[in-house]
Amino acid sequence: GVLAEVGRIVRASHEDFDGSGYPDGLAGEEIPIEARIVTCCDAFSAMTTTRSYRKAMDTEAAVAELRACAGTQFDPQVVAVLVELVETGQV
């Protein structure tokens, strides 16, 4: 059912695009697109949100980090779409 699908996405959200993530060692298109989107958006949110242990990173630095990790940690196409949304003020 729906919860199984949510579980599949959550489980895959720790996979890295280059296959170096966990728990299943999935890579690229093997990772569900929903998980690739969640992973990228979660990282952007984490970088741009103040935490108890550090201040928020500015948007430009966060975008630079997403771009630097495109193709390794993140799906390059997902990064491109998220960056476009950020740069056009839609996020």
Side-chain angles (χ1 to χ4, degrees), residues 1-9:
V2 173
L3 291 181
E5 184 64 15
V6 170
R8 184 178 74 88
I9 294 164

Side-chain angles (χ1 to χ4, degrees), residues 4-38:
E5 184 64 15
V6 170
R8 184 178 74 88
I9 294 164
V10 170
R11 180 180 176 95
S13 69
H14 294 284
E15 303 287 355
D16 288 343
F17 193 74
D18 66 0
S20 65
Y22 66 93
D24 301 311
L26 303 177
E29 301 291 319
E30 295 174 327
I31 304 166
I33 185 62
E34 299 90 348
R36 289 182 269 149
I37 293 167
V38 166

Side-chain angles (χ1 to χ4, degrees), residues 44 47 58-68 79 83 86-87:
F44 180 77
M47 289 186 278
D58 66 42
T59 300
E60 294 78 22
V63 165
E65 183 67 16
L66 290 176
R67 286 182 169 142
V79 169
V83 167
V86 169
E87 290 179 342

